[in-house]
Amino acid sequence: MKKLVFMMMAIGCFTFASCDSNTENRTEEGIEEVEDGADEVGDDIEEGAEDVKDGVEEGAEEIEREVQ
């Protein structure tokens, strides 16, 4: 009988430990939002860098044409 009670208590502890808390869920959601925002900012920076690169290349071609 003692073994059965001990086993039930042990199973209950493992079950309780595996439950997600509201704080944990909110934290995970917050992390996901931050990651999404960082991805968007990274995409914006990449697009801006490509625009700058294109402008520099166009300027270099224009200077090259004028030099010739």
Side-chain angles (χ1 to χ4, degrees), residues 1-6:
M1 184 69 178
K2 289 182 182 180
K3 289 182 183 180
L4 180 61
V5 171
F6 178 75

Side-chain angles (χ1 to χ4, degrees), residues 4-53:
L4 180 61
V5 171
F6 178 75
M7 290 297 288
M8 294 299 279
M9 288 175 57
I11 291 171
C13 288
F14 287 120
T15 303
F16 179 74
S18 68
C19 293
D20 289 340
S21 68
N22 289 336
T23 304
E24 183 179 2
N25 291 338
R26 281 184 294 207
T27 302
E28 288 175 1
E29 289 173 4
I31 289 171
E32 289 174 6
E33 289 176 8
V34 168
E35 289 174 346
D36 291 344
D39 288 341
E40 289 178 15
V41 168
D43 291 343
D44 291 344
I45 290 172
E46 187 176 339
E47 288 175 13
E50 288 176 6
D51 291 344
V52 169
K53 182 187 102 179

Side-chain angles (χ1 to χ4, degrees), residues 47-68:
E47 288 175 13
E50 288 176 6
D51 291 344
V52 169
K53 182 187 102 179
D54 292 342
V56 169
E57 287 176 351
E58 288 175 10
E61 289 173 0
E62 185 176 324
I63 291 172
E64 187 176 325
R65 276 185 253 131
E66 288 181 12
V67 170
Q68 291 177 351

